[in-house]
Amino acid sequence: MALSITPTVRMAAVFAVAAVAAGCAADVAPPLPTRLTLPELRVTADPSWSGRTDGDPAVAEVGGIPIPASRYRRALAAADPGADPGKVLDDLVVREMLAQAAVQTASDGGAVRPGEAVYQRALATRLMRDRFIEGFPPSAVPLSDLQEVFKIPQVRRKFNHLRQYAIQDYQWICCGGDTSSCSTPDAVACFREGDVAMQALYETIRLHTPESVDLPFLVEKYRVQVPQLNYQEYDFAYDDAKRVQRGQMLFDDNVVNEAVATAPGHFASKPVRSGFGWHIMFVRDIKPPENRDLSDPGVRREISEFFHSRFQQKQLVDFLATLLPYRNFRQLEPALRDRPPEGRPKYDVHLYVETLAEAMAATLAQKEEEPM
């Protein structure tokens, strides 16, 4: 929408993130204060608000105010490929309603003249959106940033791993898996009893075929039939070439071999006896082995999309470092601690301590007078 202009208002040149004066060398006089024109906003059908010119038909009206076809065409051109034209128009209508409501609420239908701080925030917001959101999609993330994230072990393992098995396991445990505890009369009797009990439970499960998501919730129900029943979920890695499991935690070979012989999304073909007891296993998922790096476009895309907000933050901090003497700003120092200064910042920053103290004292006094 177009804006009508009111008389100029004097203000120092200010960037939105801090009260800053334009940078200058020590032997150069500081610039004179800038005269900034602030807009006066008034809801009207005139071009000053709607932007509609002669011969420009309206595609819609909101509160009697036209939305010109030229604005709709610009919105269509800026939309993503394949965007619904109807939704693009809906967005324009909503934006128009909000703009009218904002002005009319602030001024009871008259003109509203934003203060300097409001105007600065609007400019800063537009800069941020253009530079770090619309102008920085995941596809624009530099390879150097992707390389830093790919060094994280958890990220690298996601794309470089052996075959992965995810198991859901109903268990009848009799002993600790060692010879001494598993050879006692009680343990021997437990194994024998578990053989019968788990086979009966297996037949019940085959008859009703529960879903994977329901297995943990059926434990109490199945304990009526198998009082000693427990439930556990676990993963293990398997080396296809050497036909052995890998990892810091190794599971019973009988369990692993039966899982390897089972298709994903199915129960094992029979209850399995391990060194600890009996198992009825469901193979929830099998992830094939992977060995990929950043030369794979899919890896680059997945990392850049998942960590996009992190990359946006880095771009912002890097940008601020070119504008501000960041070592004077505690908010920026941790993010840039290991980064050497790159020349003189574009803007010098001068903090007026006495004025800051007076403002803080006045604010505190106001809060004490009006605590709510």
Side-chain angles (χ1 to χ4, degrees):
M1 61 191 66
L3 303 174
S4 60
I5 305 301
T6 61
T8 59
V9 178
R10 182 178 297 274
M11 67 170 284
V14 178
F15 188 71
V17 294
V20 296
C24 58
D27 56 346
V28 178
L32 295 175
T34 302
R35 299 178 66 85
L36 175 67
T37 58
L38 296 181
E40 178 185 278
L41 304 179
R42 186 186 298 274
V43 179
T44 171
D46 294 341
S48 60
W49 172 272
S50 69
R52 183 186 183 191
T53 58
D54 292 341
D56 190 359
V59 294
E61 283 192 0
V62 179
I65 307 300
I67 296 178
S70 57
R71 194 196 308 175
Y72 180 55
R73 289 194 297 269
R74 289 194 299 271
L76 282 175
D80 293 332
D84 183 354
K87 186 178 184 305
V88 173
L89 179 59
D90 290 345
D91 290 342
L92 282 180
V93 170
V94 170
R95 193 179 309 168
E96 177 70 26
M97 286 193 299
L98 291 174
Q100 292 184 25
V103 172
Q104 291 168 346
T105 300
S107 59
D108 290 330
V112 56
R113 186 171 297 133
E116 296 171 2
V118 173
Y119 196 50
Q120 293 160 17
R121 283 197 297 269
L123 290 173
T125 299
R126 180 56 185 260
L127 171 66
M128 301 281 279
R129 184 175 68 246
D130 289 349
R131 191 179 187 103
F132 304 112
I133 299 177
E134 296 175 0
F136 187 68
S139 58
V141 175
L143 179 60
S144 58
D145 288 353
L146 297 177
Q147 289 170 336
E148 287 300 313
V149 171
F150 197 69
K151 292 177 183 178
I152 300 173
Q154 297 93 322
V155 176
R156 191 174 186 86
R157 281 199 297 268
K158 176 177 174 58
F159 303 102
N160 294 269
H161 56 77
L162 299 170
R163 188 176 299 276
Q164 303 283 331
Y165 287 80
I167 307 299
Q168 295 174 270
D169 191 5
Y170 285 135
Q171 303 175 338
W172 173 288
I173 302 301
C174 296
C175 59
D178 56 285
T179 303
S180 59
S181 66
C182 294
S183 59
T184 65
D186 288 343
V188 172
C190 175
F191 274 101
R192 188 166 50 248
E193 182 182 356
D195 186 3
V196 177
M198 293 295 273
Q199 186 61 50
L201 176 60
Y202 185 76
E203 295 301 326
T204 299
I205 290 174
R206 285 184 58 190
L207 187 62
H208 299 286
T209 316
E211 298 289 335
S212 169
V213 294
D214 295 328
L215 295 183
F217 305 106
L218 293 172
V219 176
E220 292 300 325
K221 174 183 176 180
Y222 290 151
R223 276 181 181 156
V224 175
Q225 180 179 354
V226 184
Q228 207 167 307
L229 188 68
N230 288 296
Y231 174 82
Q232 185 180 7
E233 296 183 10
Y234 50 88
D235 301 336
F236 67 85
Y238 190 79
D239 188 330
D240 290 341
K242 297 185 177 181
R243 302 184 64 82
V244 295
Q245 60 175 313
R246 299 289 190 183
Q248 295 180 340
M249 181 178 293
L250 300 179
F251 296 90
D252 185 273
D253 286 342
N254 289 344
V255 169
V256 170
N257 292 337
E258 187 64 30
V260 171
T262 304
H266 290 78
F267 282 93
S269 62
K270 61 182 182 299
V272 179
R273 174 170 173 162
S274 73
F276 302 87
W278 288 90
H279 307 261
I280 298 175
M281 294 183 302
F282 182 84
V283 180
R284 183 178 61 202
D285 186 38
I286 301 177
K287 292 182 179 179
E290 287 190 72
N291 184 19
R292 298 192 289 162
D293 57 24
L294 291 174
S295 63
D296 187 324
V299 175
R300 296 197 302 272
R301 181 174 59 253
E302 189 168 348
I303 293 177
S304 61
E305 290 176 353
F306 186 84
F307 291 98
H308 190 230
S309 60
R310 170 176 176 161
F311 296 133
Q312 286 175 312
Q313 183 182 35
K314 182 180 183 300
Q315 289 288 312
L316 171 61
V317 171
D318 288 347
F319 176 63
L320 292 179
T322 67
L323 302 180
L324 301 173
Y326 60 84
R327 297 198 183 282
N328 295 333
F329 284 79
R330 286 174 293 180
Q331 298 96 322
L332 291 178
E333 187 175 2
L336 297 165
R337 184 175 292 115
D338 299 327
R339 173 193 175 118
E342 297 180 2
R344 182 180 177 84
K346 187 172 294 186
Y347 299 95
D348 286 332
V349 177
H350 305 283
L351 301 181
Y352 299 95
V353 179
E354 292 182 0
T355 306
L356 285 171
E358 292 174 0
M360 293 170 62
T363 302
L364 180 60
Q366 183 179 1
K367 287 185 177 180
E368 291 176 349
E369 294 176 2
E370 304 174 5
M372 298 302 290

